[in-house]
Amino acid sequence: MTTQPIVREFEADLKVVAAVEAATDVVTLTLAAEDGTALPPWTPGAHIDLVLGEDLVRQYSLCGSPADTGQYRVGVLRAPDSRGGSKAVHAELHEGATVRVRGPRNHFPLVASPRYLFIAGGIGITPMLPMIAEAEASGADWRLVYGGRSRSSMAFVDELAAYGDKVTLLPQDEAGFPDLDALLGSPAEGTLVYTCGPTGLLDAVEERCNASWPAGSLHLERFSAKAPTSDEQDSAFELVLQRSGLTLEVPADKSIFEVCREAGVSVVGSCLEGVCGTCETEVVEGDVEHRDSILNEEEKESNEFMMICVSRCRGESLTLDL
Amino acid sequence: MRDRSTGHPRNAWYALAASAEVGSTPLGTRALGTPVVLYRAGDGSVVALGDRDAHRPYPLSLGHVDGDTIVSGYSGFAYDRTGACVRVPSQAQVPYGARVPSYPVVEEGDLVWVWLGEPSLAALRPPVSTPWLTDAGWDTFGGAWETAAGIGLLHDNFADITHVAVVDPVISPPALTGVAPALEVELTETTVHFHRDWPAAPLPEWQAKISGASTTASYPQREEGAFLAPGLWADRWDVFIPADEGGTQTFRFTHAVTPVDDHRTRHLWRVSRNFAPGAEASDVLRPIFESYYLKVREILETMQQVIDRDGYGEDVNVAADLAALQVRKILRRLVADEG
């Protein structure tokens, strides 16, 4: 008899109770359990997986209110370069349809602060909605700069109108790109920066924050994997799983995640490209070569956690709390 | 390696008392290092205020309730449900800005839940519903006490029940004496559920006796645990008895845990069952569970003493600790989010 534990995330088939066009090419889905039971709780910045088909799993930020335990809301942009995910959502998830949901999980949590600067690009506005609702409720001093291609492509503008001049809308065709040098050129005391949106925006924000802001000021979430920074050849290493009492070999052409699965060790994973954070694992010993798009520099240096779907070991041996 | 203590979030609902304990006599208590007074206002709703008169360092819980207000037993200052001072005996003018803190309160099940963290977040984090505590289909008894151990030790304990057979072989279901089947753990952002399906085994003698079920027949059994919030565990034990032999017997175990401070935890426990209804069966069951939970308390207090004396060690974890480790991970993050 095996006594190896099995771990998985919450999964349920939810019903699309509303599918509404929120802007050009953006649909918002409201999801609820068929029998109306409460859904797992979440906090601002959380996302869920929509399982859209075999090998077609996509992450979408929850953009409703955590106080509403009966339903989840997500906003989905029909991406022109879609690998199939957003296309399937727009084509198939009409009102009354059913979709497999996994999660929620959160690798973009809102840390308490007296001041926030939120910078959203396009559909990156979605995680910001519950964040600014919470910042507003707590009396924090906050500002949102929200850029998009054009006014008609920018979702949730009506909801944001209630916040008055705390929100700056920057449709690119009218106002150009956000002036990041003005926004981030000099660090603001006690301010946390939250950003989500296209890779170009995130890289630009990250570059400016890394240059002069205190460590830990910037919080960002990527929906697609960061471009690899090294083209080093992958090498094999020894993998010790402390709790399971197993020593395995990770060959150059396999990930830690794959090797664990093959050895019958239950590990959770979702995107398998270092974006969603599901497979985060505690590091006991060893020099990790981080290749994910989630951990910040500080977290990477601490060597406490790693994403076992993409990250590897620099040395000969790595010990994990598995 | 990092500090092994996880701490506890302030932004969470914690049970401060049983509903029945709160009436028109003020009840003084402590949670998260904060003195709190609870009382029931004229409309029946519960009020939670800081338990310290704004005038002199004297607990409001030693005063009395007058309609919707509570009156200090020393200064005579009266405070309304928002904590604002509305009356003082010595002058007509109420001192400007005189107030005590007030805290969001919800009664759920038969417990009084109070939010001592950032007040604006209370409305954004609804408390967990525990309908079985008051539902007529369930018979419930319970108790409450303080355990001289940090809340983390209580979480670790509830996250793994395989120690029951070691701690109390007499009350332990016979199923637990075999090798534990694989633990199945289900995660969400802030909750951890786990279960094990145990092979068929007889009921414990005491359970068979009160329910009139067979003492010898073997039935499949399922253990479930659920960390639903930083202050709430809801566990259950199902014995799958065929309908023609009386039907499934389910226990639900509710543990509301509240940090009094870093080294002490209030533990309100409830045992609910859907079989053998009535006070007579409860009177048989209560001492069985009470003595087990008291043994656990003694063990956790000993662990706290070891930690206080010798610090956190590099504890060896085994496969069965998976749920406990996931709970710690959630708690660490929630604490970190508070900045």
Side-chain angles (χ1 to χ4, degrees):
Chain A
M1 179 169 40
T2 173
T3 52
Q4 280 292 336
I6 297 157
V7 56
R8 63 173 80 87
E9 292 181 288
F10 171 82
E11 262 193 59
D13 288 321
L14 300 185
K15 197 173 159 178
V16 179
V17 294
V20 179
E21 193 82 10
T24 309
D25 288 334
V26 177
V27 65
T28 61
L29 304 179
T30 306
L31 308 169
E34 189 86 47
D35 61 2
T37 50
L39 298 173
W42 58 280
T43 65
H47 68 261
I48 52 172
D49 283 350
L50 295 187
V51 183
L52 300 161
E54 213 176 316
D55 297 326
L56 193 57
V57 179
R58 292 292 179 265
Q59 288 79 43
Y60 297 103
S61 295
L62 292 171
C63 64
S65 169
D68 185 354
T69 56
Q71 50 190 35
Y72 289 157
R73 185 175 76 154
V74 294
V76 180
L77 169 72
R78 190 201 326 258
D81 55 346
S82 171
R83 292 171 295 165
S86 69
K87 214 177 277 174
V89 169
H90 280 258
E92 291 157 31
L93 296 185
H94 304 297
E95 195 177 312
T98 296
V99 63
R100 190 86 175 151
V101 170
R102 201 184 289 149
R105 69 183 83 94
N106 194 341
H107 289 277
F108 194 34
L110 187 69
V111 176
S113 173
R115 271 182 300 282
Y116 298 99
L117 172 59
F118 298 105
I119 303 173
I123 198 63
I125 187 64
T126 48
M128 305 287 175
L129 295 175
M131 286 187 182
I132 61 178
E134 187 160 310
E136 176 74 5
S138 69
D141 178 9
W142 64 272
R143 182 176 176 201
L144 166 69
V145 176
Y146 173 21
R149 287 194 316 280
S150 63
R151 206 166 277 272
S152 69
S153 75
M154 294 169 69
F156 309 112
V157 167
D158 296 352
E159 287 175 33
L160 293 169
Y163 296 114
D165 62 6
K166 289 178 181 172
V167 175
T168 307
L169 297 179
L170 295 176
Q172 198 187 308
D173 56 356
E174 300 170 28
F177 289 102
D179 184 353
L180 294 181
D181 289 326
L183 285 170
L184 299 166
S186 53
E189 192 62 32
T191 300
L192 296 183
V193 179
Y194 277 77
T195 186
C196 186
T199 307
L201 173 71
L202 301 193
D203 290 346
V205 171
E206 191 171 33
E207 190 188 313
R208 284 164 179 83
C209 286
N210 284 348
S212 58
W213 287 64
S217 302
L218 175 65
H219 297 253
L220 58 77
E221 183 160 64
R222 292 177 188 276
F223 282 123
S224 54
K226 225 172 164 175
T229 48
S230 80
D231 48 18
E232 277 173 60
Q233 283 292 312
D234 289 346
S235 56
F237 55 93
E238 176 192 73
L239 176 66
V240 181
L241 305 182
Q242 195 180 48
R243 263 184 289 134
S244 312
L246 290 173
T247 299
L248 306 167
E249 173 78 11
V250 181
D253 62 344
K254 279 187 181 161
S255 69
I256 296 173
F257 184 84
E258 285 171 291
V259 168
C260 288
R261 291 291 287 247
E262 284 169 16
V265 175
S266 182
V267 282
V268 275
S270 183
C271 74
L272 303 187
E273 52 185 24
V275 174
C276 77
T278 310
C279 67
E280 184 181 88
T281 301
E282 199 174 317
V283 178
V284 178
E285 210 175 351
D287 193 4
V288 178
E289 187 186 326
H290 293 283
R291 294 185 183 174
D292 64 87
S293 307
I294 303 152
L295 299 176
N296 62 32
E297 288 311 313
E298 211 181 341
E299 290 164 330
K300 285 176 183 171
E301 268 167 41
S302 79
N303 215 44
E304 286 185 354
F305 298 100
M306 70 182 295
M307 305 303 153
I308 59 171
C309 61
V310 290
S311 297
R312 301 185 66 85
C313 174
R314 277 207 190 92
E316 310 250 294
S317 179
L318 179 68
T319 306
L320 298 179
D321 184 31
L322 278 174
Chain B
M1 292 301 285
R2 75 182 59 78
D3 184 356
R4 289 287 153 190
S5 64
T6 47
H8 47 258
R10 293 188 69 83
N11 291 331
W13 292 100
Y14 290 110
L16 262 60
S19 285
E21 291 177 273
V22 183
S24 54
T25 305
L27 176 70
T29 182
R30 265 186 104 73
L32 303 178
T34 306
V36 180
V37 58
L38 301 172
Y39 67 92
R40 218 170 268 280
D43 65 356
S45 63
V46 178
V47 178
L49 300 177
D51 191 15
R52 180 173 174 158
D53 188 0
H55 178 60
R56 292 289 180 266
Y58 192 65
L60 289 179
S61 53
L62 299 177
H64 70 274
V65 173
D66 178 10
D68 282 357
T69 66
I70 185 165
V71 182
S72 167
Y74 174 70
S75 67
F77 280 33
Y79 302 88
D80 70 10
R81 60 184 316 137
T82 71
C85 179
V86 291
R87 211 164 54 242
V88 302
S90 57
Q91 59 184 39
Q93 171 66 40
V94 176
Y96 180 77
R99 60 163 45 253
V100 295
S102 78
Y103 305 106
V105 185
V106 169
E107 276 191 280
E108 171 57 49
D110 67 339
L111 301 176
V112 175
W113 297 86
V114 179
W115 183 278
L116 294 163
E118 162 58 39
S120 66
L121 294 182
L124 295 172
R125 307 276 188 280
V128 179
S129 166
T130 52
W132 60 88
L133 292 178
T134 45
D135 189 295
W138 297 86
D139 276 58
T140 298
F141 62 84
W145 50 59
E146 212 172 278
T147 302
I151 192 170
L153 290 172
L154 280 85
H155 286 312
D156 284 354
N157 175 70
F158 298 133
D160 174 28
I161 69 147
T162 50
H163 58 255
V164 176
V166 183
V167 172
D168 199 337
V170 178
I171 86 140
S172 172
L176 283 188
T177 52
V179 175
L183 181 72
E184 294 189 41
V185 180
E186 185 188 87
L187 308 173
T188 77
E189 183 195 346
T190 58
T191 68
V192 178
H193 285 73
F194 61 86
H195 75 267
R196 284 190 185 92
D197 286 311
W198 294 82
L203 289 169
E205 213 177 284
W206 48 266
Q207 186 173 344
K209 215 161 144 189
I210 60 149
S211 64
S214 163
T215 51
T216 52
S218 286
Y219 304 106
Q221 317 193 10
R222 170 179 268 221
E223 159 215 352
E224 272 182 48
F227 168 81
L228 297 179
L232 179 65
W233 284 82
D235 304 343
R236 61 187 282 164
W237 184 273
D238 287 282
V239 180
F240 299 107
I241 299 172
D244 59 1
E245 293 175 44
T248 297
Q249 294 187 5
T250 302
F251 276 117
R252 302 189 81 129
F253 310 105
T254 309
H255 299 285
V257 284
T258 303
V260 177
D261 56 34
D262 290 344
H263 294 86
R264 288 182 301 158
T265 305
R266 181 171 302 98
H267 178 194
L268 290 102
W269 57 270
R270 296 286 182 268
V271 175
S272 310
R273 65 185 189 279
N274 70 345
F275 60 93
E280 206 177 316
S282 292
D283 289 343
V284 175
L285 292 169
R286 184 193 304 273
I288 293 174
F289 283 92
E290 193 167 58
S291 78
Y292 167 65
Y293 290 139
L294 282 168
K295 277 183 193 168
V296 170
R297 175 170 78 160
E298 198 184 318
I299 288 170
L300 299 182
E301 290 184 340
T302 303
M303 287 186 193
Q304 184 66 55
Q305 288 160 19
V306 171
I307 291 168
D308 289 346
R309 199 170 50 233
D310 301 325
Y312 285 92
E314 286 292 333
D315 297 342
V316 173
N317 287 311
V318 292
D321 293 314
L322 180 67
L325 298 177
Q326 293 296 338
V327 168
R328 288 187 200 170
K329 193 168 156 181
I330 289 170
L331 288 169
R332 266 193 214 108
R333 198 214 98 197
L334 292 176
V335 170
D337 288 356
E338 293 179 356

